Amino acid sequence: MSSISFEGRVVVVTGAGGGIGRTYALDIAKRGGTVVVNDLGGDIAGRKSSPAMADGVVAEIRTAGGRAVPSYDSVASVQGAQRLIATTLKEFGHIDALINNAGIMRNALFEDVSDDDFDAVMDAHLRGTLNVTRAVWPHMKARKYGRIVFTTSGTGMYGNKLQAGYAAAKAGITGLMNVLALEGEDHGILCNALMPNALGRMADQMMRDMGQQATQEATATMGVVGNSMAPEFNTALGVYLSSEACASTHYVYSSCVGRIARVFVGVTPGWQGSRERPATAEDIAAHFGEITDLSHGFQIPTYPRDEIELVMKHKRTLA
Ligand code: NAI
């Protein structure tokens, strides 16, 4: 197996001042890449800011003999994202990969979420990802090369109590990736999303917010999974997806206590109603079992038109 090199590559990693992002930055630098370590340096809720986090990771990389520069811009602001990309291009001339990883957390029951908290979470995750990706997109398109990693989450893909805004933002990021993968494929830009799992300040806060019983259950799980909840257990996937070796696009991958897997949206064969008259609610009730039945497998559409094509094929089979 040939080793994966980032020699000559410039990679922007957002939220790289701590947690999982820091591990991407360290590994890419170790592989010869130049890393732009972007981090606002605020708290878990996205309040305050400081250069200390980005500076700390840049110092670690340089001490180990690698190349890195800090960026303290907030991805949540259009100007911040544009400055991050513009200064990187000015300094290095090109950007090969972007890992959208920055994020914050403000948990609350749905009825208690303030507009401020909802907006802050959307801004850091969804707008932040949009802002930086939009700033780098024309450059990657012109160069006909790019790798963009989007960070979604189990909460966005499956749901999780207390995290309505976070889930909406993370699911939105998957939607953004789905479109950019299609728009980027003719221009050498590959887009994939990953769902990490790691202990760190985000998981600590989550456990505090979930209450004592949930914390005890989570702690018991940690006892079984051992070290595999360390941020480093997510590093390889993000590094691979941002490398030249990656040929995948338009996929979502989960990194979960040492297991890497594909996550997808599938559609069951379902129940085929009449095409001459619309179904009634009673028809739905009568056929609910067929609609949700997984025993005949499922299909994974790439485009909305794939689903129509699948249904038409099914009709032809029946005829
Ligand atoms: P973390 O809190 O350790 O790292 C996130 C980093 O983003 C922080 O260093 C923070 O300062 C930075 N950041 C926040 N807002 C920013 C902004 N506006 N501009 C620039 N930087 C900003 O969190 P962790 O655990 O490393 O998570 C990394 C990513 O993975 C996040 O997007 C998170 O939502 C996602 N994720 C994490 C999971 C986990 O189990 N830790 C599970 C699923 C998703």
Side-chain angles (χ1 to χ4, degrees):
M1 198 192 312
S2 61
S3 64
I4 293 178
S5 169
F6 279 82
E7 215 49 68
R9 299 290 185 194
V10 178
V11 182
V12 174
V13 185
T14 72
I20 301 164
R22 170 183 161 272
T23 74
Y24 298 144
L26 294 179
D27 197 53
I28 290 168
K30 210 164 69 184
R31 292 168 184 277
T34 298
V35 186
V36 180
V37 177
N38 163 263
D39 206 290
L40 181 63
D43 65 14
I44 186 71
R47 298 191 178 94
K48 304 186 197 133
S49 62
S50 154
M53 291 179 75
D55 284 347
V57 175
V58 167
E60 262 187 279
I61 290 173
R62 288 182 181 164
T63 304
R67 284 181 297 272
V69 291
S71 148
Y72 319 116
D73 293 308
S74 171
V75 299
S77 103
V78 175
Q79 294 84 350
Q82 286 175 344
R83 197 167 42 236
L84 163 63
I85 296 304
T87 51
T88 304
L89 288 176
K90 196 165 166 216
E91 190 157 354
F92 302 110
H94 66 278
I95 295 172
D96 300 285
L98 162 66
I99 304 183
N100 286 301
N101 165 80
I104 63 168
M105 187 179 265
R106 295 191 187 186
N107 294 332
L109 283 174
F110 183 50
E111 62 269 32
D112 298 330
V113 181
S114 67
D115 283 347
D116 268 3
D117 285 351
F118 189 84
D119 289 348
V121 167
M122 293 298 275
D123 285 350
H125 291 276
L126 182 54
R127 287 299 307 202
T129 299
L130 176 77
N131 290 341
V132 186
T133 305
R134 193 149 57 176
V136 81
W137 190 259
H139 167 73
M140 287 185 171
K141 210 166 160 176
R143 261 184 101 219
K144 291 215 154 286
Y145 182 87
R147 299 285 183 272
I148 307 181
V149 180
F150 295 75
T151 304
T152 183
S153 75
T155 294
M157 300 301 286
Y158 313 138
N160 202 16
K161 289 176 185 170
L162 302 176
Q163 296 199 298
Y166 182 86
K170 288 303 202 187
I173 287 172
T174 308
L176 187 61
M177 182 281 290
N178 283 333
V179 171
L180 298 190
L182 295 173
E183 292 192 8
E185 65 189 351
D186 290 339
H187 306 282
I189 306 173
L190 308 186
C191 300
N192 296 281
L194 58 77
M195 300 159 51
N197 273 285
L199 283 180
R201 67 183 200 170
M202 234 178 227
D204 287 348
Q205 183 64 46
M206 190 68 217
M207 282 196 258
R208 275 196 295 277
D209 293 339
M210 282 190 315
Q212 207 182 354
Q213 196 198 330
T215 303
Q216 277 165 359
E217 285 165 13
T219 309
T221 308
M222 303 311 165
V224 178
V225 301
N227 196 30
S228 60
M229 283 294 281
E232 286 76 8
F233 279 75
N234 300 276
T235 314
L237 180 58
V239 170
Y240 172 76
L241 294 176
S242 62
S243 75
E244 196 178 351
C246 169
S248 160
T249 195
H250 203 176
Y251 278 37
V252 180
Y253 299 96
S254 164
S255 165
C256 183
V257 292
R259 193 273 334 254
I260 313 295
R262 182 182 172 191
V263 176
F264 52 83
V265 175
V267 58
T268 63
W271 166 69
Q272 176 65 64
S274 161
R275 294 206 180 107
E276 277 70 53
R277 65 157 187 90
T280 62
E282 287 76 13
D283 290 331
I284 303 297
H287 295 282
F288 214 76
E290 288 163 75
I291 291 169
T292 55
D293 184 14
L294 274 169
S295 64
H296 299 292
F298 52 81
Q299 300 276 359
I300 309 170
T302 300
Y303 277 95
R305 71 161 185 264
D306 290 351
E307 192 181 352
I308 298 176
E309 194 41 42
L310 287 169
V311 178
M312 299 308 285
K313 261 193 209 146
H314 187 55
K315 169 79 176 187
R316 282 200 291 272
T317 312
L318 288 178

